[in-house]
Amino acid sequence: MRTRTTTTPVELKVLMNHIYELHKGVRHMVLFTCNKKYSEQTIQRLESQGIPYLLQPAGQQNLNVYFGRRECLEAIRLIVTRPLNLLTPEEDFILGAMLGYDICAQCERYCKRKNGCKGLCDENCINKN
């Protein structure tokens, strides 16, 4: 007789790792994007651990789930009022900084978006050393 084993989808393993990092204080806020088919499991996991969250549709099949500290989520509620690709360079910068992304990379991304650059803007860039 064969026993049935269940495997955890990769997306849910990523969610569990984010929750672990949140509990350990590595992060204060997380942006987790998953297929909508995992939304119920994601919400159940967050609610069972008392983790505040915010949901935002991300296209036809995906969902952005912000979770973490309440004060961070309150700021997100005010900043992220439309799809991420429609954020201003300033809103995008603030979101990246709040998510703990590399601040130098965020500065570079901000400058490129603000200057309308698609690649390196030699005339506007500071020499890199």
Side-chain angles (χ1 to χ4, degrees), residues 55-122:
L55 304 175
Q56 179 190 48
Q60 297 271 330
Q61 298 187 7
N62 291 325
L63 182 68
N64 283 337
V65 183
Y66 298 89
F67 62 91
R69 303 274 302 263
R70 285 193 195 285
E71 56 268 39
C72 295
L73 291 175
E74 287 305 317
I76 290 300
R77 206 180 306 275
L78 297 171
I79 295 168
V80 185
T81 58
R82 56 196 170 283
L84 296 180
N85 64 324
L86 298 178
L87 294 180
T88 66
E90 291 78 10
E91 291 165 334
D92 180 82
F93 178 84
I94 292 167
L95 177 61
M98 289 177 68
L99 290 168
Y101 297 167
D102 177 271
I103 200 67
C104 293
Q106 282 303 111
C107 290
E108 187 174 345
R109 177 180 166 89
Y110 171 75
C111 291
K112 286 178 183 175
R113 289 191 70 205
K114 193 69 176 178
N115 291 327
C117 300
K118 300 292 185 240
L120 291 177
C121 302
D122 293 330

Side-chain angles (χ1 to χ4, degrees), residues 8-16 32-35 37-38 62:
T8 304
V10 172
E11 287 179 271
L12 295 179
K13 288 180 182 180
V14 170
L15 172 66
M16 290 184 275
F32 172 66
T33 302
C34 67
N35 188 294
K37 68 183 175 183
Y38 299 119
N62 291 325

